[in-house]
Amino acid sequence: MSEAAPVTPLRERAGQALQDTFLQQALTIATTKFIGLRREAFDDFPEGEALRDRARAIKEATLQHLDRHLEQLIDSVERGGGHVHYATTADEARRVVLDIAGRAGVRVVVKSKSMATEEIHLNDALEAAGITAVETDLGEYIIQLAHERPSHIIAPAIHKTKGQVAELFARELGRPTEPDPEVLTRIARAELREKFLIADMGISGANFGVADTGTIVLVTNEGNGRMVTSLPRVHVAVMGVEKVIPSMTDLAVFLAILAKSATGQKLSVYTSLVNGPRRGGELEGPEEFHLVLLDSGRIDQLAGPLREALACLRCGACLNVCPVYRQIGGHAYGYTYPGPIGILLTAMLNGPGSVTELAHASSLCGACADACPVRIDIPRMLIELRRDGVERRLPRWPERVVFGVLGRLLRRPALYRLAARVGRVLQRPFVRGGTIRRLPLFLGHWTRTRDLPPIAGRTFQERWARLAREDHP
Amino acid sequence: MVTCLGDLFYPEVGEAIVRLLRRLGVAVDFPAGQTCCGLPLFNSGYHADAAAAARRTIALFEGAEAVVVPSGSCAWMVKHEYPGLMTDPAGRAAAERLAGRTHELSQFLVKRLGRRRFRSAVPGRLTYHDSCHLLRGLQEAESPRALLRDLAGAEFVDLPGADECCGFGGSFAVRLPEVSAAVLDKKLASVEATGADCVVACDAGCLMQMRGGLSRRRSRVRAVHLAEVLGEPR
């Protein structure tokens, strides 16, 4: 239970997001662009469908023997001169990183984009220990300046327009400028260059950890990942345990679909393979390399209802296509991981009780499962989380009453027909010109924005007798 | 199978289907005692009650040669979720038999009967919205479009973003009503931009959502069920 629950209800958070015109503008532009690019990338890549199946099969096979693959990864990293730490909880992971930093006398940390470190709220812990942490991915840099958190798995500042970023740079960096992405990037690059040179430690995540070679793989677009992992004297990579893959051959399968799903690129601009600390004769690389393996609820799901979610590559494709995410953005979800997969990951990391509301933040349209490169059946698991909540009697009593009544009506046709007749009487005061424009109670949630058809004067069942006779005049 | 929404709110859709099937030479029966397939209960996590609804439905349709369903989501429930809800081998076998005999209307017409040429009962310009369960659940994008493209007396136009959800999602529409309405707004804006007179759907849920939105915004566009536009066979 590592993350604090949001204080306001989901509906309120969503409502605020819907009112935020900048957010709406930014979300529509960015997600529409991502959807188009992804579609084009796969349209040009007929072998993509088979590779998605292959990638899923590799993940499944790896999860079957996760212990073995992790042992092999640990062994390979240690043989290469690196250190491996296993953190059962987020708190443990933070302490491991702080210990490493303390021993190495670290004052300044540069970070490349990593959801695993976001998940454990590492920046707060570093700051509390008096260590300056600087995010070097442009999006992460922007939200760090704004004192915000990522709102998308791969595009952390997706919720900001370029105008807002220009204002932020003017305010926080004293660099007034036009809202031109190129100029803004140049400013950020100049600011960050200095940090790279003074940093004692680089912290990264890991897209993959290759067991047989001990290689940590980073998929990035800005080149900051390379600097983070090679310039400072200490490199720490924080990796979820499920990110291990057996071999380089497997890596090729994932790389073929990952960037296409995420950004629609054939490959990301940089694919960095990090093989531990600098070895004798090498000119660059850190003196120390540490791999922090993060469990934090993942291992439990090997035998749990969310097991499939352990195959997630963190590409963000399911967010871009989700009608709910596209309307409310990432922050409204209230936890580190937003979007459809984020609900599952939140349940995994913080327990199913954390998603009682969030499990319903989906119309179950299935666009997420369709877009997922490894075909994770997200809607099925959302329903599973809802079922789990019902079994533990988590929904509030009015909901349980409504569904309890519905359950009974559906089992007793006479009662169902009676309810239709009663409904017809009760609806009378609300019907105007053949439609219902306003209703009380929870039905008012519908009629505030939409009309509702009244129960028909004669239902189909009531019409059937006459309809049956039509056939035999 | 008329489905609960079809029975209570859109009986004319059920009537249209019965007449359509009869014109195609299909004998139509309507087993008495139908209520709802149980999808709303299933999707909200009330699986014991959903299983009870499933068992009733399976028993009701035991004798039917084919079961035609006007909504993709209910067809999906019967075909994909019923077997898993049955805990006993006999129940599961019966669920699987029903799953195999159950067809969403457009699939029944095109794939089972091989009939796709009709006169339009609604003149003008039509566009089509994919309902999520039919498209992604039953993997059906083509049958409804084939029927609409071949329609004599109407013009068919593509709907940009036709595969995007209308925001209904059952209880989702009242749990997060503002989000549901915002998704709907986007859908209706693209519908109106096509210049179509009617948006056609194969799911009573989408129909309820889109009709509700169109009528609230006093749009000249109508949302209609596929069965309402299919006239005389040709």
Side-chain angles (χ1 to χ4, degrees):
Chain A
M1 318 301 137
S2 55
E3 288 194 279
V7 285
T8 53
L10 171 63
R11 191 173 157 206
E12 201 174 305
R13 306 197 301 272
Q16 277 160 11
L18 289 167
Q19 299 301 318
D20 183 339
T21 45
F22 286 112
L23 174 67
Q24 291 301 319
Q25 191 191 342
L27 276 175
T28 304
I29 294 172
T31 57
T32 307
K33 189 170 152 200
F34 275 141
I35 290 173
L37 290 172
R38 177 185 164 274
R39 189 168 291 167
E40 282 169 33
F42 276 97
D43 282 350
D44 293 348
F45 189 58
E47 54 276 54
E49 292 308 303
L51 279 170
R52 289 169 69 184
D53 293 329
R54 178 91 196 96
R56 175 60 183 273
I58 294 169
K59 278 284 181 187
E60 285 296 332
T62 311
L63 292 173
Q64 280 290 333
H65 302 286
L66 191 64
D67 52 344
R68 233 166 52 200
H69 295 293
L70 284 173
E71 274 168 28
Q72 197 189 8
L73 175 67
I74 293 169
D75 200 46
S76 305
V77 170
E78 285 176 347
R79 261 189 291 123
H83 306 276
V84 183
H85 313 260
Y86 190 92
T88 311
T89 63
D91 187 49
E92 244 179 79
R94 285 191 296 266
R95 265 186 286 137
V96 167
V97 178
L98 289 181
D99 281 351
I100 299 168
R103 275 201 304 276
V106 169
R107 315 258 316 252
V108 178
V109 166
V110 279
K111 288 184 69 207
S112 77
K113 205 190 108 40
S114 149
M115 287 307 287
T117 64
E118 289 288 348
E119 163 193 329
I120 62 171
H121 296 252
L122 185 58
N123 287 0
D124 295 342
L126 289 167
E127 200 180 312
I131 298 168
T132 307
V134 183
E135 293 289 351
T136 65
D137 169 86
L138 181 58
E140 286 280 349
Y141 179 67
I142 291 168
I143 58 165
Q144 192 182 26
L145 279 182
H147 307 287
E148 291 175 6
R149 307 217 52 221
S151 71
H152 188 288
I153 291 174
I154 64 153
I158 195 172
H159 57 287
K160 289 213 176 302
T161 61
K162 54 191 179 186
Q164 287 176 309
V165 176
E167 278 169 35
L168 180 73
F169 279 16
R171 192 172 69 237
E172 295 291 326
L173 303 173
R175 303 279 296 266
T177 174
E178 279 141 65
D180 175 350
E182 257 181 61
V183 179
L184 293 168
T185 308
R186 220 176 297 135
I187 294 173
R189 189 183 288 138
E191 294 279 332
L192 287 171
R193 188 65 49 146
E194 279 173 40
K195 309 288 187 199
F196 280 121
L197 294 173
I198 59 165
D200 320 284
M201 184 194 260
I203 299 179
S204 72
N207 289 93
F208 306 95
V210 185
D212 68 347
T213 58
T215 307
I216 299 307
V217 184
L218 293 181
V219 177
T220 66
N221 270 325
E222 297 169 18
N224 61 316
R226 291 193 166 188
M227 310 243 272
V228 164
T229 57
S230 61
L231 278 180
R233 57 192 164 83
V234 183
H235 171 209
V236 178
V238 182
M239 179 183 115
V241 287
E242 82 284 19
K243 296 278 187 163
V244 65
I245 57 171
S247 72
M248 285 290 178
T249 323
D250 300 318
L251 177 64
V253 176
F254 290 107
L255 290 180
I257 54 172
L258 175 56
K260 291 186 187 73
S261 302
T263 52
Q265 293 165 290
K266 287 197 171 76
L267 274 178
S268 60
V269 179
Y270 297 91
T271 304
S272 308
L273 309 183
V274 181
N275 281 301
R278 183 193 309 190
R279 271 167 265 190
E282 286 181 350
L283 290 174
E284 50 185 33
E287 293 160 22
E288 271 180 51
F289 170 71
H290 298 265
L291 173 63
V292 182
L293 294 173
L294 178 64
D295 169 358
S296 193
R298 291 165 168 85
I299 295 293
D300 277 351
Q301 290 304 332
L302 282 174
L306 304 173
R307 178 189 163 101
E308 252 192 89
L310 291 168
C312 172
L313 308 181
R314 307 287 191 272
C315 71
C318 64
L319 279 61
N320 302 330
V321 298
C322 174
V324 177
Y325 179 89
R326 298 183 77 194
Q327 290 301 330
I328 68 174
H331 290 154
Y333 287 79
Y335 290 89
T336 298
Y337 293 100
I341 192 69
I343 301 171
L344 304 180
L345 296 174
T346 301
M348 188 184 291
L349 305 174
N350 301 298
S354 60
V355 297
T356 315
E357 277 189 308
L358 279 174
H360 292 277
S362 165
S363 67
L364 304 177
C365 79
C368 49
D370 233 28
C372 175
V374 289
R375 307 191 201 278
I376 299 172
D377 192 347
I378 299 174
R380 189 186 61 76
M381 282 184 281
L382 289 175
I383 294 174
E384 180 54 31
L385 286 168
R386 296 173 182 185
R387 190 193 62 77
D388 176 72
V390 168
E391 266 181 18
R392 294 190 294 127
R393 298 174 68 82
L394 291 182
R396 285 175 306 161
W397 69 265
E399 176 187 324
R400 280 190 276 126
V401 168
V402 168
F403 281 100
V405 170
L406 189 62
R408 280 181 183 79
L409 288 181
L410 302 196
R411 255 177 283 182
R412 296 180 183 75
L415 211 58
Y416 163 94
R417 288 191 296 266
L418 177 69
R421 286 200 296 275
V422 171
R424 223 153 27 205
V425 174
L426 291 179
Q427 74 187 4
R428 259 182 222 155
F430 302 100
V431 182
R432 296 262 184 290
T435 189
I436 297 174
R437 300 179 63 85
R438 192 183 298 172
L439 280 173
L441 300 173
F442 66 93
L443 293 169
H445 295 333
W446 178 282
T447 52
R448 192 160 316 126
T449 47
R450 293 149 287 192
D451 291 349
L452 192 69
I455 296 171
R458 297 182 64 227
T459 64
F460 181 84
Q461 314 208 3
E462 289 161 348
R463 297 177 193 203
W464 172 249
R466 184 194 293 178
L467 204 56
R469 281 196 301 274
E470 270 182 25
D471 205 21
H472 315 281
Chain B
M1 184 184 300
V2 70
T3 78
C4 56
L5 295 184
D7 180 42
L8 297 173
F9 299 112
Y10 306 116
E12 65 283 359
V13 170
E15 289 180 324
I17 292 175
V18 171
R19 292 187 180 122
L20 178 70
L21 292 176
R22 281 180 181 156
R23 280 200 294 267
L24 297 171
V26 178
V28 184
D29 189 19
F30 180 77
Q34 297 185 37
T35 57
C36 160
C37 69
L39 181 66
L41 293 162
F42 181 79
N43 276 353
S44 280
Y46 296 81
H47 288 199
D49 286 341
R55 265 190 296 273
R56 282 199 72 249
T57 310
I58 292 166
L60 275 179
F61 291 96
E62 191 74 76
E65 188 186 334
V67 179
V68 179
V69 186
S71 279
S73 51
C74 314
W76 176 82
M77 176 72 183
V78 172
K79 293 174 80 67
H80 282 250
E81 298 303 335
Y82 273 16
L85 282 171
M86 296 298 111
T87 41
D88 58 309
R92 183 174 284 243
E96 267 156 15
R97 280 197 304 276
L98 177 61
R101 286 179 287 130
T102 300
H103 309 268
E104 180 276 332
L105 175 67
S106 73
Q107 292 191 316
F108 183 73
L109 294 174
V110 174
K111 293 187 166 159
R112 180 75 197 271
L113 297 183
R115 300 294 293 265
R116 48 186 278 179
R117 294 168 62 77
F118 293 87
R119 257 174 240 297
S120 180
V122 179
R125 185 183 279 191
L126 309 175
T127 192
Y128 176 69
H129 158 76
D130 289 284
S131 76
C132 296
H133 282 93
L134 182 56
L135 176 67
R136 286 177 281 268
L138 299 177
Q139 300 282 311
E140 185 60 76
E142 198 34 44
S143 291
R145 286 186 170 81
L147 290 163
L148 293 173
R149 266 196 301 266
D150 282 359
L151 217 49
E155 179 199 358
F156 177 70
V157 290
D158 278 321
L159 173 64
D163 61 341
E164 289 171 20
C165 180
C166 67
F168 176 65
S171 71
F172 170 78
V174 286
R175 288 179 197 268
L176 289 172
E178 295 82 9
V179 181
S180 170
V183 177
L184 174 62
D185 274 344
K186 214 185 252 183
K187 172 63 68 179
L188 296 184
S190 29
V191 166
E192 286 178 330
T194 62
D197 303 293
C198 285
V199 53
V200 180
C202 294
D203 197 297
C206 312
L207 215 56
M208 197 161 155
Q209 170 89 339
M210 292 194 294
R211 264 192 201 178
L214 288 166
S215 113
R216 180 60 60 94
R217 57 160 78 187
R218 301 188 185 287
S219 175
R220 53 161 209 94
V221 183
R222 289 197 306 140
V224 295
H225 191 276
L226 177 71
E228 295 175 284
V229 301
L230 299 179
E232 290 298 319
R234 59 188 185 99

